[in-house]
């Protein structure tokens, strides 16, 4: 029965992901129509068409492979510049342009209905629309979790301390007289102490304390705590250097200072500012993950081929995310906690999709945004220098890059789906 519900909730999560993709494309569709761009197609999925319907000049539908979506905006590629030199790249660009321009009618050009004819701010709004939708969805999901359910956060209050440092692997992990005391034990920290400052720096949140301890390495540390309603300055001790997970890249272990404190966890309810702060931290982690994406995918493939266990911090496919969401939904926990985990995972993926689409390479939205900005820079520089308008940037010449990037992402997606089946990430 548990397997049945895991599959059901996994499929539900997959459906919600596809809804997020569909709304991402709506983020392009609506401003494009608002600014008068002709939109021939709006589809969720790729491959053979399963269902479609025409409303006005736009065909809406669903395709066979639900791994994304697209909106066709007519006139993405400007006409060939007169006298352009016929290099292989120019011929390649003209072939791609010809496919699109077969559908262009005289009225489209005269009516200013082609994408390349639009003003820079209009192009930016159209191309950033999908990213904006994903950011709004992520914000609303996280706000729902933080505001209605609450989020468990570490507090700068001592729940317990580790008494000794065990530097060797052994069956009995109890402290022995020969084991050195932890810095927390040496300083005399006790349960219930609220840490007010670390080496004179005030502590408002546990994250502040963590950052200071890590940066302190093995140098002296003086803590001031609130104990029994009074401020107490504890004896100065040296923190120890140990291996900890990097804040921005949890897959990497780095040397950092360590105290030996286990903090109190409390459920906190927050508002939009708290959500934005959390999203900022997650965005920083996602940027690091994106920069390492090709290398991490290679390691996933290598580990799968060699039979090595899957790194829990490795990238996953849509299939893998849906599987994890299904498993989260059937865990032995209160329904509210499971729903919050489900919503948080969906919010995290929407945030990642937004950042992923900001990568300045075609066919991603960021590539088109970069093209619009470069066109604006060229035209502005020409106007200031008193030169003729250089005209629109020939984005058709970036088609080979779009094919290369698209092919790479397709191969990565297939590899991750296979890995998620053969060697799935195990969190639960």
């Amino acid at each position: 029965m548990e397997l049945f519900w895991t599959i059901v909730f996994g499929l539900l999560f997959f459906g919600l992901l596809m809804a997020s993709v569909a709304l991402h494309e709506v983020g392009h569709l609506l401003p494009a129509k608002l600014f008068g761009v002709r939109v021939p197609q709006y589809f969720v999925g790729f491959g053979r068409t399963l269902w479609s319907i025409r409303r006005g000049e736009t065909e809406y539908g669903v395709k066979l492979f639900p791994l994304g979506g697209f909106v066709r905006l007519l006139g993405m590629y400007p006409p060939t510049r007169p006298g352009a030199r016929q290099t292989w790249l120019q011929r390649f660009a003209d072939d791609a342009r010809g496919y699109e321009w077969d559908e262009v009618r005289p009225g489209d050009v005269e009516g200013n209905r082609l994408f390349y004819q639009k003003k820079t701010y209009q192009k930016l709004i159209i191309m950033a629309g999908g990213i904006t939708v994903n950011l709004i969805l992520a914000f609303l999901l996280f706000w729902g979790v933080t505001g209605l359910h609450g989020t468990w956060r570490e507090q700068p209050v001592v729940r317990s301390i580790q008494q000794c440092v065990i530097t060797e692997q052994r069956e009995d992990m109890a402290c022995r007289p020969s084991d050195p005391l932890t810095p927390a034990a040496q300083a005399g920290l006790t349960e219930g102490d609220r840490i007010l400052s670390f080496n004179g720096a005030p502590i408002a949140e546990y994250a502040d304390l963590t950052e200071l301890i890590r940066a302190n390495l093995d140098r002296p540390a003086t803590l001031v705590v609130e104990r029994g309603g009074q401020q107490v300055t504890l004896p100065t001790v040296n923190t120890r250097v140990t291996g900890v997970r990097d804040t921005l890249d949890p897959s990497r272990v780095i040397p950092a200072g360590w105290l030996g404190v286990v903090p109190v966890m409390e459920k906190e309810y927050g508002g939009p500012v708290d959500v934005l702060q959390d999203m900022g931290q997650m965005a920083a982690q996602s940027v690091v993950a994106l920069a390492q994406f090709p290398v991490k995918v290679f390691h996933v493939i290598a580990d799968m081929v060699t039979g090595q266990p899957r790194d829990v911090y490795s990238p996953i496919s849509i299939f893998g995310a849906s599987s994890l969401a299904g498993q989260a939904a059937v865990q032995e926990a209160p329904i509210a906690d499971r729903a919050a985990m489900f919503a948080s995972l969906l919010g995290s993926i929407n945030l990642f999709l937004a950042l992923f689409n900001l990568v300045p390479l075609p066919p991603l939205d960021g590539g088109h945004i970069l093209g619009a900005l470069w066109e604006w820079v060229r035209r502005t520089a020409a106007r200031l220098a008193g030169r003729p308008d250089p005209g629109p940037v020939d984005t058709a010449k970036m088609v080979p890059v779009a094919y290369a990037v698209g092919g790479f992402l397709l191969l990565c997606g297939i590899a991750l789906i296979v890995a998620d089946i053969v060697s799935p990430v195990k969190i639960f």
Side-chain angles (χ1 to χ4, degrees):
M1 196 63 177
E2 181 177 312
L3 177 60
F4 171 78
W5 287 112
T6 299
I7 294 173
V8 168
F9 283 108
L11 290 174
L12 173 61
F13 188 84
F14 183 82
L16 292 172
L17 278 181
M18 288 301 99
S20 298
V21 170
L23 290 172
H24 173 100
E25 299 304 333
V26 169
H28 297 306
L29 176 73
L30 293 182
K33 285 184 172 289
L34 176 66
F35 294 132
V37 177
R38 186 151 79 86
V39 184
Q41 290 183 316
Y42 167 93
F43 272 86
V44 177
F46 300 102
R48 184 168 63 86
T49 299
L50 297 179
W51 169 87
S52 71
I53 188 171
R54 181 169 292 278
R55 289 287 183 267
E57 62 188 15
T58 306
E59 180 186 13
Y60 302 85
V62 177
K63 289 186 175 287
L64 179 61
F65 300 107
L67 298 175
F70 66 92
V71 171
R72 279 191 61 208
L73 308 176
L74 206 61
M76 294 293 289
Y77 306 138
T80 306
R81 189 187 308 276
R85 196 159 57 93
Q86 288 300 303
T87 63
W88 73 268
L89 181 57
Q90 185 66 51
R91 289 191 294 272
F92 196 100
D94 288 342
D95 287 341
R97 192 187 340 266
Y99 171 75
E100 181 183 45
W101 276 76
D102 283 344
E103 201 171 343
V104 174
R105 301 188 294 254
D108 296 327
V109 180
E110 296 165 2
N112 198 41
R113 303 212 58 203
L114 303 180
F115 180 81
Y116 83 89
Q117 295 175 307
K118 298 303 174 181
K119 298 181 183 299
T120 299
Y121 82 89
Q122 294 174 327
K123 293 178 182 178
L124 294 177
I125 291 174
I126 292 169
M127 298 318 302
I131 295 169
T132 304
V133 166
N134 286 129
L135 287 175
I136 292 173
L137 289 174
F139 175 79
L140 292 176
L141 286 164
F142 287 132
W143 190 9
V145 171
T146 302
L148 298 177
H149 175 268
T151 304
W152 288 98
R153 300 186 190 274
E154 297 170 322
Q155 306 296 318
V157 179
V158 178
R159 179 166 70 89
S160 62
I161 66 168
Q162 294 176 239
Q163 289 293 332
C164 64
V165 179
I166 301 175
T167 58
E168 58 184 11
Q169 291 292 332
R170 62 195 191 206
E171 293 183 6
D172 179 12
M173 299 302 290
C175 290
R176 298 176 181 175
S178 58
D179 294 329
L181 294 176
T182 64
Q186 293 176 35
L189 280 165
T190 61
E191 179 182 344
D193 284 347
R194 175 174 289 276
I195 301 174
L196 302 177
S197 70
F198 181 93
N199 282 343
I203 304 298
E205 300 177 351
Y206 187 74
D208 301 331
L209 179 63
T210 300
E211 185 176 343
L212 290 168
I213 293 172
R214 287 187 171 205
N216 201 59
L217 296 176
D218 57 356
R219 293 188 287 267
T222 303
L223 291 90
V224 176
V225 302
E226 180 182 321
R227 180 183 294 170
Q230 297 183 341
Q231 290 190 15
V232 178
T233 301
L234 301 181
T236 299
V237 297
N238 279 39
T239 49
R240 293 179 65 97
V241 174
T242 187
V244 298
R245 296 285 180 184
D246 187 9
T247 304
L248 295 180
D249 181 11
S251 66
R252 194 163 64 100
V253 175
I254 59 172
W258 178 76
L259 188 64
V261 171
V262 180
V264 166
M265 298 286 290
E266 290 183 0
K267 182 183 282 189
E268 294 183 352
Y269 296 87
V273 174
D274 301 290
V275 173
L276 290 174
Q277 289 175 342
D278 291 342
M279 287 179 66
Q281 176 66 21
M282 285 185 283
Q285 294 173 336
S286 296
V287 169
V288 172
L290 279 172
Q292 299 175 343
F293 181 73
V295 175
K296 285 183 176 283
V297 171
F298 172 80
H299 286 308
V300 168
I301 297 172
D303 290 344
M304 178 175 60
V305 171
T306 58
Q308 297 297 315
R310 182 85 173 267
D311 184 354
V312 295
Y313 298 105
S314 64
I316 57 177
S317 66
I318 293 176
F319 174 85
S322 301
S323 176
L324 287 177
Q327 294 173 45
V330 299
Q331 294 300 301
E332 290 191 7
I335 293 177
D337 290 353
R338 286 181 280 168
M341 191 182 305
F342 197 88
S344 295
L345 183 56
L346 186 60
S348 299
I349 293 179
N350 269 279
L351 177 59
F352 182 82
L353 285 175
L355 297 172
F356 180 74
N357 273 285
L358 271 174
V359 174
L361 290 172
L364 301 174
D365 298 340
H368 297 294
I369 291 172
L370 180 62
L373 290 174
W374 174 237
E375 181 179 302
W376 177 82
V377 168
R378 282 182 41 178
R379 286 181 150 166
T380 302
R383 185 177 68 253
L384 294 176
R387 297 194 304 268
D389 186 345
V393 171
D394 191 0
T395 50
K397 290 184 177 179
M398 293 300 291
V399 170
V401 177
Y403 283 170
V405 173
F408 172 75
L409 293 178
L410 176 62
L411 291 175
C412 288
I414 294 173
L416 290 177
I417 289 174
V418 173
D420 287 335
I421 296 172
V422 176
S423 177
V425 171
K426 295 181 180 179
I427 298 178
F428 304 103

